[in-house]
Amino acid sequence: MSLNKVILIGNVGKDPDVRYFDSGSAIASFPLATSERGYTLANGTVIPERTEWHNIVARRDLVSFVEKWVKKGSGLYVEGKIRTRTYDDQNGIKRYVTEIHADRIEFYSTGSRPADSSMAQTATNTSNTMSQPVQPNTGYQQPGTAIQSPSPSFSESNEADDLPF
Amino acid sequence: MSLNKVILIGNVGKDPDVRYFDSGSAIASFPLATSERGYTLANGTVIPERTEWHNIVARRDLVSFVEKWVKKGSGLYVEGKIRTRTYDDQNGIKRYVTEIHADRIEFYSTGSRPADSSMAQTATNTSNTMSQPVQPNTGYQQPGTAIQSPSPSFSESNEADDLPF
Amino acid sequence: MSLNKVILIGNVGKDPDVRYFDSGSAIASFPLATSERGYTLANGTVIPERTEWHNIVARRDLVSFVEKWVKKGSGLYVEGKIRTRTYDDQNGIKRYVTEIHADRIEFYSTGSRPADSSMAQTATNTSNTMSQPVQPNTGYQQPGTAIQSPSPSFSESNEADDLPF
Amino acid sequence: MSLNKVILIGNVGKDPDVRYFDSGSAIASFPLATSERGYTLANGTVIPERTEWHNIVARRDLVSFVEKWVKKGSGLYVEGKIRTRTYDDQNGIKRYVTEIHADRIEFYSTGSRPADSSMAQTATNTSNTMSQPVQPNTGYQQPGTAIQSPSPSFSESNEADDLPF
DNA sequence: TTTT
DNA sequence: TTTT
């Protein structure tokens, strides 16, 4: 009887941090910015642009995707849930930090070039016929794709649909 | 080029706090719980239930709606955006708090009784033919309504659609 | 530069239809009802309840989940995208049918019993310690779970999070 | 116990059709395209781009917004619910058409110019200090705005927040 | 019929 | 700390 759903489109603030644990699991995290454009009211009041920073946390299959493709500046579509965790800071004071635990991460092309979507979508689809990105971290690169309620990056994206309709 | 969207269904943790300002504006806030049911893994590991608390903030027209109808225990559907603000605590330490700024709040009946939705939906609809809730805060009351991509509580909900289809 | 996202919570209208193809692929489909509660306007006009029927289509991993667990009456959370396809009817007239292609399907308990969520969540999690539903199709059964931006039924749901936080 | 929610980002296929009724109500409708980018599978299979057309229906306050600002080519963010209605075609055959009844419509800038968002947002905010678009239908114009869980076009968008935080 |  |  509960729903906790977040949908974000924004830009990555810095290269993801990826940590591996002895258990074999891993976690990737990075900041994502969403921006509300400023405007001016009828009475002349200027409402400035406002940028919101979200702490994105990725686990399991999403870790390798993030590690391989997500960079500072990447334009992303992120679905997930809100989680607030507590920790004690250096002064022993209880602190709260709210994070978005991602269930889905997709590139969201910001409009410009007709990006090649195939290579970034599937961890298992490495031997495809598409050209690989040559200099993946040179500024604006986005293996991006349009999102149609973006299919799960790993389980469904690039599988063939050999169905009669 | 940005999207910051949150959709929650959960229960209100305590009666809302409503504050009025000299400017004439007002703000209502309350905690909302969403719960992830626990489960047991194949290997026997027990994953306990997990409850997430969200700080909901309502402004403008939503304030009077919240003040009038939302109580501890209310089952709500909330749409909004994530905002993190900072403040200095009593020790002058910068603190962060993440809130959900609501764009839409609707009652979400948790299934049981065929609740009467009309009275809770519209601030302008006070003289309707429906009975008012008598003891609005006695436990499980929910003026609730099913949600069909719930229409804005105040601008669209109970207006007649005198259209030919 | 595109988004096509649907989120539904409703009830299954009849047992799913599952079809298998020579290629090895399969498809499951079933109707899902969402209901808008009726209400009475201030002027006395009665707006009746309205039920919307959605054609849900599931593919790949979701097929076996649907086949095994989804029944007439099931309360479901469905995420997906809208797709309209055309076909020629028996009179050779072009017809349109709009479907929701599911990316995620979860049970959504309608409140009542503290349902046991584990068994319905993971196709690979059959040997867990939880009791199986005995009479899975006797009316109100729902292996259901609360949804926290429900994790992918198959790729993420019941995996252990052996992480330090 | 129901949710019927659609979120779309796409482009308008042709200028909206606006109809007025004797009752004083009005309705606007237009097609919106969302596109799934094509890709090539590992085995060489080419999956072509796929465009989905959605029938958007706007009522009440949204009508005047649509009439004034939405044009063929406009990049829009649309929230609403799915509705399928029936009608008898010229041969007396029952036909179905699925529409998206919009609860919210916002411009979604496709990246390029730093568009001025103020004028398109609020029907009541006509005397603001922002310049009005001079030739609103000359191709690419978009009064657009970034969307932060976009605030209701008419009830909340450009109101001042004269709150102390 | 739109966009990239 | 990102983008427009």
Side-chain angles (χ1 to χ4, degrees):
Chain A
M1 276 316 310
S2 218
L3 180 64
N4 175 353
K5 180 85 186 172
V6 175
I7 301 177
L8 304 172
I9 297 175
N11 292 280
V12 175
K14 62 187 199 59
D15 285 354
D17 173 53
V18 183
R19 278 177 292 162
Y20 296 91
F21 300 95
D22 293 344
S23 65
S25 63
I27 195 168
S29 58
F30 56 88
L32 186 82
T34 57
S35 313
E36 239 172 324
R37 181 161 293 133
Y39 52 90
T40 302
L41 294 174
N43 64 17
T45 307
V46 173
I47 307 297
E49 180 184 86
R50 183 187 162 84
T51 295
E52 196 65 39
W53 286 98
H54 311 270
N55 305 122
I56 310 297
V57 174
R59 300 182 180 209
R60 286 177 283 267
D61 292 344
L62 290 174
V63 173
S64 55
F65 175 82
V66 166
E67 186 167 41
K68 188 167 187 182
W69 296 109
V70 174
K71 306 293 177 194
K72 177 178 179 176
S74 295
L76 294 186
Y77 172 94
V78 174
E79 269 185 47
K81 64 177 70 67
I82 300 174
R83 282 212 179 174
T84 298
R85 61 182 173 87
T86 61
Y87 65 95
D88 294 326
D89 69 10
Q90 57 273 50
N91 302 114
I93 300 176
K94 196 180 192 180
R95 298 280 207 154
Y96 296 85
V97 59
T98 297
E99 300 168 320
I100 306 304
H101 283 238
D103 290 317
R104 184 178 297 205
I105 297 177
E106 301 272 339
F107 276 91
Y108 194 85
S109 77
T110 46
S112 29
R113 301 141 312 99
D116 169 13
S117 78
S118 65
M119 65 289 190
Q121 297 307 100
T122 313
T124 59
N125 193 16
T126 53
S127 61
N128 64 55
T129 64
M130 307 298 292
S131 60
Q132 294 293 119
V134 185
Q135 314 143 106
N137 202 2
T138 310
Y140 228 68
Q141 100 294 349
Q142 261 127 2
T145 179
I147 297 173
Q148 287 270 16
S149 161
S151 30
S153 297
F154 304 103
S155 50
E156 303 202 336
S157 281
N158 283 355
E159 295 185 35
D161 261 341
D162 41 14
L163 295 175
F165 55 91
Chain B
M1 278 315 312
S2 219
L3 181 63
N4 175 352
K5 181 86 187 170
V6 174
I7 301 176
L8 303 172
I9 297 175
N11 292 281
V12 175
K14 62 187 198 60
D15 285 354
D17 173 53
V18 183
R19 278 178 291 164
Y20 297 91
F21 300 96
D22 293 343
S23 65
S25 64
I27 196 168
S29 59
F30 57 87
L32 186 82
T34 56
S35 312
E36 240 173 321
R37 180 161 292 134
Y39 51 91
T40 301
L41 294 174
N43 65 15
T45 308
V46 174
I47 307 297
E49 181 185 84
R50 183 188 163 82
T51 296
E52 197 65 39
W53 287 97
H54 310 271
N55 304 122
I56 310 296
V57 175
R59 298 181 180 209
R60 285 176 284 266
D61 292 344
L62 291 174
V63 173
S64 55
F65 175 82
V66 167
E67 187 168 40
K68 188 167 187 181
W69 296 108
V70 174
K71 307 292 176 194
K72 177 178 178 178
S74 296
L76 294 186
Y77 171 93
V78 174
E79 270 185 47
K81 64 178 70 66
I82 299 173
R83 282 212 178 173
T84 299
R85 60 182 173 85
T86 60
Y87 64 96
D88 294 326
D89 70 9
Q90 57 274 50
N91 302 114
I93 300 176
K94 195 180 191 179
R95 298 281 207 152
Y96 296 85
V97 58
T98 297
E99 298 167 321
I100 306 303
H101 284 237
D103 289 319
R104 183 178 298 204
I105 297 177
E106 300 272 339
F107 277 91
Y108 193 86
S109 77
T110 45
S112 29
R113 303 142 313 101
D116 168 15
S117 78
S118 66
M119 65 289 190
Q121 296 307 102
T122 311
T124 59
N125 193 16
T126 53
S127 61
N128 64 55
T129 64
M130 308 299 292
S131 59
Q132 294 293 118
V134 185
Q135 314 142 106
N137 203 0
T138 310
Y140 229 67
Q141 101 294 346
Q142 262 129 3
T145 179
I147 298 174
Q148 287 271 16
S149 164
S151 32
S153 296
F154 304 102
S155 50
E156 303 203 336
S157 282
N158 283 355
E159 294 184 35
D161 259 342
D162 42 12
L163 295 175
F165 56 90
Chain C
M1 277 316 312
S2 219
L3 180 64
N4 175 353
K5 180 86 185 171
V6 175
I7 301 177
L8 303 172
I9 296 176
N11 291 280
V12 175
K14 61 187 201 61
D15 285 354
D17 173 53
V18 183
R19 280 178 291 163
Y20 296 92
F21 300 96
D22 293 343
S23 65
S25 63
I27 195 168
S29 59
F30 56 87
L32 186 82
T34 57
S35 313
E36 237 172 324
R37 180 162 291 134
Y39 52 91
T40 302
L41 294 174
N43 64 16
T45 308
V46 174
I47 307 297
E49 181 184 87
R50 183 188 162 84
T51 296
E52 196 65 40
W53 286 97
H54 310 270
N55 304 122
I56 310 296
V57 174
R59 299 181 180 208
R60 286 175 284 265
D61 292 344
L62 290 174
V63 173
S64 56
F65 175 82
V66 167
E67 186 168 40
K68 187 167 187 182
W69 297 109
V70 175
K71 307 294 177 193
K72 177 178 178 176
S74 296
L76 294 186
Y77 172 93
V78 174
E79 269 185 47
K81 64 177 70 67
I82 300 173
R83 282 211 179 174
T84 299
R85 61 182 173 87
T86 60
Y87 65 96
D88 294 326
D89 68 10
Q90 57 273 50
N91 302 113
I93 300 176
K94 196 180 190 178
R95 298 278 207 155
Y96 296 84
V97 59
T98 297
E99 299 167 321
I100 306 304
H101 283 237
D103 289 319
R104 184 178 297 204
I105 297 177
E106 300 272 338
F107 277 91
Y108 193 85
S109 77
T110 46
S112 27
R113 303 142 311 101
D116 168 14
S117 79
S118 66
M119 65 287 190
Q121 298 306 103
T122 311
T124 59
N125 194 14
T126 53
S127 62
N128 65 56
T129 65
M130 308 298 293
S131 59
Q132 294 291 121
V134 185
Q135 317 143 109
N137 203 1
T138 309
Y140 229 67
Q141 102 294 347
Q142 261 128 2
T145 180
I147 298 173
Q148 287 271 17
S149 163
S151 31
S153 296
F154 303 104
S155 50
E156 302 202 337
S157 281
N158 282 355
E159 294 185 35
D161 260 341
D162 41 13
L163 295 175
F165 56 90
Chain D
M1 278 315 312
S2 219
L3 181 64
N4 175 353
K5 181 84 185 172
V6 174
I7 301 176
L8 304 172
I9 296 175
N11 292 280
V12 175
K14 63 187 197 57
D15 286 354
D17 173 53
V18 183
R19 279 177 292 162
Y20 297 92
F21 300 97
D22 293 342
S23 65
S25 63
I27 195 168
S29 59
F30 56 88
L32 186 81
T34 57
S35 312
E36 239 172 323
R37 179 162 292 133
Y39 52 91
T40 301
L41 294 174
N43 65 16
T45 308
V46 174
I47 307 297
E49 179 184 86
R50 182 187 163 84
T51 295
E52 196 65 40
W53 288 97
H54 310 271
N55 304 122
I56 310 297
V57 174
R59 299 180 180 209
R60 287 177 283 265
D61 292 345
L62 291 175
V63 174
S64 55
F65 175 82
V66 167
E67 186 168 41
K68 188 168 186 181
W69 296 109
V70 175
K71 306 293 175 192
K72 177 178 178 175
S74 295
L76 294 186
Y77 171 93
V78 174
E79 269 185 48
K81 64 178 71 67
I82 300 173
R83 282 211 178 173
T84 299
R85 60 181 173 87
T86 60
Y87 65 96
D88 294 327
D89 68 9
Q90 56 273 50
N91 302 114
I93 299 175
K94 195 180 191 179
R95 299 281 206 149
Y96 295 85
V97 59
T98 297
E99 298 167 321
I100 306 304
H101 284 237
D103 290 318
R104 186 178 295 206
I105 297 177
E106 300 273 339
F107 277 90
Y108 194 86
S109 77
T110 46
S112 28
R113 302 141 313 100
D116 169 13
S117 78
S118 66
M119 64 289 190
Q121 297 307 102
T122 311
T124 60
N125 193 15
T126 54
S127 62
N128 65 54
T129 64
M130 306 299 291
S131 59
Q132 295 291 120
V134 185
Q135 314 141 106
N137 202 1
T138 311
Y140 227 67
Q141 101 293 349
Q142 262 130 2
T145 180
I147 298 174
Q148 287 272 19
S149 163
S151 32
S153 297
F154 304 102
S155 51
E156 304 203 336
S157 281
N158 282 354
E159 294 184 34
D161 260 342
D162 42 13
L163 295 175
F165 54 91

